[in-house]
Amino acid sequence: MASKATGRKLVYDFHEGNRDMKGLLGGKGANLAEMTNVGLPVPPGFTITTEACLSYLDHGTFPHGLMLEVDENLRHLEEAMGKKLGDDKDPLLVSVRSGAKFSMPGMMDTVLNLGLNDRSVQGLAKQSKDERFAWDSYRRFVQMFGKIVLDIDPERFESLLDEAKATKGEGAKDTDLGAEDLRKLTEAFKGIVRAETGEDFPQEPRRQLEKAIEAVFRSWNGARAVAYRRQNRIPDTLGTAVNVVAMVFGNRGEDSGTGVAFTRDPSTGEKSPYGDYLPNAQGEDVVAGIRNTLKLSELAQIDAKSWDELRRGMDSLEKHYRDMCDIEFTIERGKLWFLQTRVGKRTALAEWVMAYDMWNEGLISPDEGLLRLDPNRLEQLFKPVIREDQKRGEKPATRGLNASPGAAVGRVVFTADAAVEWAERGEKVILARRETTPDDYHGMIRSQGILTSAGGTNSHAAVVARGEGIPAVCGADEIRIERGVSAFSVNGTRVQEGDWVTIDGTDGTVYLGKLDLADPALAKAVTGDEQAREERIWKAFEAFMRRADEVRRLRVRANADTPEQAANARARGAEGIGLCRTEHMFLGEERVAAVRKMIFADTKEEEEEAYAALLPLQRGDFVGIFEAMDGLPVTVRLLDPPLHEFLPNHVDMAVAVALAGERGDAEAIVRDEKIPLEEAREILRKVEELHEANPMLGLRGVRLGIVKPGLYAMQVRAIVEAACDRVEAGGHPEVEIMIPLVATQEELRQMREELEPAAQEVLTRRGVDLPILWGTMIELPRASVVAGEIAEVADFFSFGTNDLTQTAWGFSRDDIGKFLAMYEERKLVSGNPFVTIDRPGVGRLMQTAVGAGKAVKPELHLGICGEHGGDPASVVFCHEILLDYVSCSPFRIETARLAAGQAALGTAEAASK
């Protein structure tokens, strides 16, 4: 049956779907259909499509015909189960669950036990012969419906539940409440609903279902779901499906239970079952951390039959999906049911280990393994750990579960809002909670680490921490979080907000105080540590990086300004330097003095004296860089920033001179530096002379070279002399000289006419034959548009996308943070354009320049040297527009290499389809 409004079905029975329908049925619905069709025991049900959700969100009402399709599929479900929804004598109960195309764990809403009311709870009690189970189910339903559908503060329900448990004694659990306790609690919960809404709790099952479907639709635009999508770059236009599934119950006694299973360890990648099991419980108990869970493997002793069936199902699903699977299951009185599966989220470490192992097992090809790796998470493999000597010398205050690997140090805070507030002040924080909820997400992602006193390895805190790469320790049950007070106690010690704590999410230890962190094994392996190179993660890393290097077309260079940076970059696989910024070589007392002498020179002779003092200093820097990059290209950018940056701040200088004059002092004090007053006045005069209203668009780059021709000539002589030194020492320098901020062909032509003779004079004098390439940064919109003209006098282009983004958007990268969040929220920008290349705008300018430049000079060499060179999405774009190389920070070299390899494989894969 199709909707008249859309002409398409809005509801699909599980038998009608498959895993390829994620866009329409959501990941959960598509995978429930897939498990049904491969013969696993799945409770019957149906899925309402994402199209229905989007229609509801657009118009505020259900699409025409939706509830007719729901009713028809509900009848089929009732026939399959032999029960009717909410029947007084033998009620069918259902769950109503969200499920988007991309997994968003805990970010949207679920309602369980729907169909219970004051009459059907009696029928459930009679049929199950378990009055406690019936009232526990009804209590849970009223609580969940009140929170999710009616938007009642969940603390209203939780406080009453805590009071009820307290009557059973200290440390009592919800399982200690009897049938009569739960009946009274349910009545109290219904009283909360009446007080908060002015209406009785809804008793008509179909009305309950309709309102629950609406609530799940609305949860797509809930604050936590929106924040999660923004953080993980999931489009807002997808919507969520709604799955209506026959309830099976894990809270029917000790022969029942619920759990979450991974076919491999999502933290380490080890090929062994991993997860949590909770006897006599429903699914939300595992996720919410209300009770501490058992290890999944303990199910083998509790219920060997169900354990064997679960293992067979896990093996079947992993082979079917050819990936690690995350499975939710329930056991009802010895009967195993599969409630959900999906390709499981995993840590960055596990991601590499699993891909490597599955490749070696023959489950996937090496290229499939490479494409499964997330280059945005590669840096997590280089995360710090607690220094070994401190690990041995310090006794942990307590231990919890190793929920997400990595060590973190920070000041403890107790609310998500506090985490944000402290982080915005520049503090590193550890968020400590009894357990987290989706409402804590905004604070979790601003924290260095997460610590909870309850919950298992698949609690909300653990899942979010692993997904975001945040170290976490969960279920540290010796910690007592004090309600209403920003403090916790552990084994007799009280810890208050702002105190330092250290956590190790790899082994679950918690330390009071601030411990020192050290580099992880992979970082050591990259620098040649032989012991670290025996680790499996290194073997996986080495194998996949080798494959990425084999298939990628893009070369990867580094932005490096010192010999040490250059050596580090080369060790990480850099194939040259794409940006060596010479302004960083002018720092230091002796160099600043020489630069100031050049700035204050009144005659050509004084200026030449300053250049003569600077030349040997610059030459020494370049010798070290050419040595570190011997045999590889080094692109040196001539001085770019305006000269006033080498002088004291205008305001500081003016204030210091004025104060010294008023007091009659002989010296002006500028930021603790004492300067003779007359000299200070002369400096102030020069600062005022050089002052610009908008210095980033003022006298800088090529304009500086034109106004101060001796400056660039000195730099070129220093570069070429250093190259000659390396040649005479047996080296093989490859020199590329880049002139910044060019907007016209004539600027570059005139500079080359002035500078090439200076370079040739050095080569002739030293008797060295060395080819030198001359090029420019394309970092202005005008340069992009007239790139064909500029290419006539250039050997290469390098896109300076930092300034190109600033000048294309009119955004300051230093100030965009003041309004970026609002722009993203209102969808005025899709993301930070200084992080990922803005394809429609800046990207179009780059494509224009590439096309025009290559048309004039096919051999023109093209690269990028802005910060975008290390952003995986931007690397893919650079591959697509046929740049020759990207250049990035030394610490992002591996990320760029991996992204470039994936870009090549992705292009080949697309071409083959």
Side-chain angles (χ1 to χ4, degrees):
M1 178 178 176
S3 163
K4 292 181 181 178
T6 64
R8 296 184 59 177
K9 280 170 63 71
L10 296 174
V11 183
Y12 286 75
D13 185 271
F14 290 166
H15 289 96
E16 298 177 298
N18 60 65
R19 66 177 177 179
D20 297 325
M21 298 174 70
K22 289 181 180 179
L24 187 64
L25 304 181
K28 187 174 295 181
N31 288 325
L32 281 167
E34 191 74 14
M35 288 195 297
T36 299
N37 293 327
V38 298
L40 289 173
V42 177
F46 55 87
T47 301
I48 302 168
T49 66
T50 56
E51 290 181 351
C53 171
L54 293 172
S55 175
Y56 173 83
L57 295 176
D58 284 344
H59 302 102
T61 58
F62 287 152
H64 182 74
L66 173 62
M67 290 311 295
L68 290 175
E69 289 192 54
V70 168
D71 289 340
E72 181 181 350
N73 281 269
L74 180 59
R75 281 194 297 274
H76 296 158
L77 175 56
E78 290 173 333
E79 289 169 4
M81 296 298 292
K83 301 180 180 183
K84 291 213 173 273
L85 183 67
D87 183 70
D88 292 357
K89 295 180 180 178
D90 187 12
L92 168 67
L93 305 182
V94 298
S95 63
V96 181
R97 301 172 181 266
S98 62
K101 178 179 180 180
F102 300 108
S103 177
M104 296 170 56
M107 296 301 126
M108 291 179 293
D109 291 332
T110 292
V111 178
L112 303 181
N113 304 337
L114 188 142
L116 279 171
N117 56 32
D118 294 348
R119 299 177 306 279
S120 61
V121 68
Q122 304 293 343
L124 182 63
K126 289 177 183 177
Q127 285 298 322
S128 64
K129 297 185 175 68
D130 189 341
E131 191 174 1
R132 186 201 178 279
F133 156 69
W135 283 105
D136 186 40
S137 299
Y138 196 14
R139 181 272 302 178
R140 290 169 183 269
F141 175 48
V142 176
Q143 182 175 356
M144 194 173 288
F145 196 91
K147 173 191 172 184
I148 290 168
V149 179
L150 304 178
D151 199 27
I152 297 172
D153 182 356
E155 186 60 30
R156 295 288 310 274
F157 301 106
E158 289 291 343
S159 60
L160 284 184
L161 179 59
D162 287 344
E163 289 174 15
K165 288 189 289 185
T167 65
K168 299 297 180 181
E170 186 177 352
K173 302 174 182 176
D174 56 353
T175 50
D176 296 317
L177 299 176
E180 181 61 18
D181 300 316
L182 292 165
R183 186 192 67 76
K184 291 177 179 178
L185 193 58
T186 303
E187 291 301 320
F189 282 4
K190 286 159 60 182
I192 291 173
V193 170
R194 192 179 306 110
E196 291 288 332
T197 67
E199 297 179 0
D200 288 334
F201 185 80
Q203 296 291 303
E204 208 286 302
R206 191 182 181 281
R207 179 63 177 153
Q208 294 173 354
L209 179 58
E210 188 173 332
K211 291 177 75 69
I213 293 169
E214 277 193 280
V216 175
F217 281 165
R218 288 197 306 270
S219 71
W220 175 255
N221 284 333
R224 63 181 186 262
V226 171
Y228 186 89
R229 290 198 297 274
R230 186 180 301 135
Q231 178 76 9
N232 293 278
R233 299 186 179 183
I234 297 173
D236 291 330
T237 54
L238 299 178
T240 180
V242 178
N243 301 285
V244 179
V245 190
M247 282 295 302
V248 290
F249 298 95
N251 57 333
R252 296 196 65 174
E254 292 306 314
D255 61 350
S256 304
T258 188
V260 177
F262 292 84
T263 57
R264 302 188 188 216
D265 190 321
S267 290
T268 67
E270 291 296 323
K271 189 180 180 181
S272 60
Y274 174 96
D276 297 323
Y277 181 68
L278 197 54
N280 196 17
Q282 285 197 308
E284 76 269 21
D285 296 338
V286 176
V287 175
I290 293 168
R291 287 155 53 195
N292 286 345
T293 57
L294 304 177
K295 289 183 178 179
L296 180 67
S297 57
E298 294 184 50
L299 178 60
Q301 284 74 50
I302 297 169
D303 184 348
K305 174 176 171 290
S306 295
W307 169 252
D308 290 341
E309 289 178 14
L310 177 63
R311 286 297 308 272
R312 286 195 295 273
M314 292 169 71
D315 291 343
S316 173
L317 285 170
E318 181 168 284
K319 289 184 175 72
H320 187 73
Y321 282 87
R322 298 168 59 251
D323 206 341
M324 184 268 277
C325 291
D326 169 0
I327 300 160
E328 293 180 16
F329 67 94
T330 284
I331 300 169
E332 182 178 9
R333 292 190 168 173
K335 167 67 175 174
L336 174 68
W337 295 94
F338 286 82
L339 305 185
Q340 179 182 346
T341 192
R342 59 190 170 206
V343 171
K345 290 185 178 293
R346 61 209 72 180
T347 63
L349 171 68
E351 183 174 80
W352 284 73
V353 170
M354 283 183 201
Y356 180 67
D357 286 350
M358 289 179 183
W359 165 16
N360 287 319
E361 292 163 18
L363 196 61
I364 59 175
S365 71
D367 289 351
E368 284 178 291
L370 183 63
L371 288 169
R372 286 184 181 180
L373 305 174
D374 182 354
N376 286 296
R377 302 208 301 167
L378 177 54
E379 287 180 276
Q380 293 179 24
L381 297 181
F382 299 86
K383 282 191 145 193
V385 296
I386 298 172
R387 251 178 43 192
E388 197 58 41
D389 58 336
Q390 296 208 349
K391 191 83 170 170
R392 288 194 302 268
E394 288 286 336
K395 182 181 178 182
T398 188
R399 289 179 181 271
L401 300 172
N402 51 330
S404 183
V409 180
R411 295 183 183 274
V412 67
V413 296
F414 293 85
T415 68
D417 290 342
V420 172
E421 180 183 337
W422 282 63
E424 287 179 347
R425 298 205 304 258
E427 296 280 3
K428 294 182 176 181
V429 299
I430 303 293
L431 177 60
R433 303 281 282 159
R434 184 175 185 276
E435 66 264 351
T436 64
T437 72
D439 295 328
D440 293 319
Y441 181 74
H442 64 294
M444 297 171 75
I445 60 176
R446 298 297 299 273
S447 303
Q448 301 297 307
I450 296 164
L451 171 63
T452 70
S453 61
T457 52
N458 287 293
S459 63
H460 176 266
V463 171
V464 171
R466 284 198 297 269
E468 300 297 347
I470 303 168
V473 174
C474 294
D477 55 13
E478 290 182 327
I479 288 176
R480 298 287 181 266
I481 305 284
E482 299 179 17
R483 280 185 178 272
V485 181
S486 295
F488 72 73
S489 59
V490 55
N491 296 322
T493 301
R494 195 164 187 264
V495 178
Q496 296 180 298
E497 184 174 67
D499 290 345
W500 287 95
V501 295
T502 302
I503 66 170
D504 190 339
T506 303
D507 66 8
T509 49
V510 180
Y511 302 84
L512 304 185
K514 184 179 181 181
L515 302 189
D516 294 331
L517 304 184
D519 290 335
L522 189 53
K524 293 178 185 176
V526 169
T527 56
D529 186 301
E530 291 303 322
Q531 185 175 349
R533 292 192 171 203
E534 293 303 313
E535 300 282 343
R536 193 139 115 269
I537 178 57
W538 171 253
K539 296 182 186 301
F541 176 79
E542 195 175 38
F544 282 121
M545 294 306 297
R546 187 186 308 116
R547 182 58 183 156
D549 290 339
E550 289 170 355
V551 299
R552 65 184 166 90
R553 181 189 58 76
L554 273 175
R555 300 298 92 194
V556 178
R557 300 189 190 182
N559 299 341
D561 310 327
T562 67
E564 294 76 19
Q565 290 178 359
N568 180 32
R570 186 161 193 164
R572 290 173 175 271
E575 296 159 304
I577 292 178
L579 176 63
C580 176
R581 292 160 286 216
T582 55
E583 55 268 21
H584 293 172
M585 300 175 182
F586 286 99
L587 302 178
E589 190 174 337
E590 182 182 4
R591 298 171 188 232
V592 169
V595 172
R596 288 183 179 178
K597 185 174 182 180
M598 177 264 293
I599 293 172
F600 284 93
D602 291 322
T603 65
K604 188 170 181 59
E605 290 74 20
E606 290 177 347
E607 201 169 276
E608 289 297 333
E609 286 178 14
Y611 295 144
L614 284 168
L615 191 146
L617 300 174
Q618 288 252 284
R619 180 177 59 223
D621 293 326
F622 292 129
V623 168
I625 290 170
F626 286 138
E627 182 176 4
M629 283 290 168
D630 194 57
L632 297 174
V634 175
T635 305
V636 182
R637 182 181 72 184
L638 302 182
L639 193 66
D640 182 35
L643 292 178
H644 76 81
E645 291 194 7
F646 298 98
L647 297 175
N649 177 272
H650 180 211
V651 174
D652 291 344
M653 202 75 225
V655 170
V657 169
L659 287 175
E662 285 178 9
R663 293 193 295 249
D665 295 342
E667 295 176 321
I669 302 176
V670 185
R671 292 184 180 269
D672 298 327
E673 180 185 359
K674 293 182 178 180
I675 304 174
L677 185 56
E678 285 309 308
E679 182 182 340
R681 284 175 173 150
E682 180 61 18
I683 293 173
L684 177 60
R685 181 190 65 78
K686 199 66 178 180
V687 168
E688 290 173 340
E689 179 184 314
L690 293 173
H691 178 72
E692 296 175 300
N694 194 344
M696 296 312 294
L697 296 178
L699 183 58
R700 54 168 289 216
V702 67
R703 304 158 197 167
L704 189 59
I706 290 170
V707 172
K708 291 272 189 184
L711 176 60
Y712 275 11
M714 177 275 294
Q715 288 194 289
V716 166
R717 286 196 293 273
I719 294 165
V720 179
E721 286 189 10
C724 290
D725 288 350
R726 285 299 304 145
V727 170
E728 291 170 359
H732 302 87
E734 295 186 20
V735 182
E736 299 177 355
I737 297 176
M738 184 159 65
I739 298 167
L741 214 69
V742 163
T744 71
Q745 181 200 68
E746 195 61 18
E747 284 175 320
L748 184 58
R749 187 188 64 78
Q750 288 191 22
M751 290 310 305
R752 287 193 66 168
E753 285 179 354
E754 290 182 23
L755 300 177
E756 286 188 84
Q760 189 57 51
E761 183 276 326
V762 174
L763 293 173
T764 301
R765 174 164 46 84
R766 299 285 291 269
V768 171
D769 183 16
L770 181 70
I772 297 175
L773 299 181
W774 300 80
T776 185
M777 291 182 80
I778 301 295
E779 49 191 332
L780 296 171
R782 188 184 194 282
S784 298
V785 174
V786 300
E789 298 173 14
I790 296 173
E792 293 176 3
V793 292
D795 299 320
F796 67 88
F797 286 166
S798 181
F799 289 96
T801 48
N802 298 337
D803 275 346
L804 187 58
T805 300
Q806 288 196 110
T807 51
W809 275 95
F811 287 162
S812 163
R813 64 175 172 171
D814 298 320
D815 300 314
I816 191 175
K818 296 174 182 177
F819 58 86
L820 178 62
M822 179 180 289
Y823 261 54
E824 288 183 311
E825 184 177 335
R826 296 180 62 172
K827 299 181 176 59
L828 299 171
V829 294
S830 59
N832 188 338
F834 292 102
V835 173
T836 297
I837 289 171
D838 157 44
R839 287 189 176 219
V842 175
R844 185 74 60 84
L845 289 171
M846 294 172 68
Q847 287 176 295
T848 298
V850 169
K854 284 284 193 180
V856 169
K857 188 173 287 185
E859 71 276 17
L860 187 71
H861 204 53
L862 301 166
I864 179 176
C865 61
E867 290 299 320
H868 297 97
D871 169 63
S874 301
V875 171
V876 172
F877 178 70
C878 293
H879 172 88
E880 291 171 356
I881 65 172
L882 301 179
L883 297 194
D884 297 298
Y885 69 87
V886 297
S887 188
C888 60
S889 156
F891 293 99
R892 301 216 79 191
I893 293 294
E894 294 93 346
T895 298
R897 289 165 56 199
L898 177 61
Q902 291 178 331
L905 287 177
T907 302
E909 187 177 50
S912 67
K913 290 182 179 178

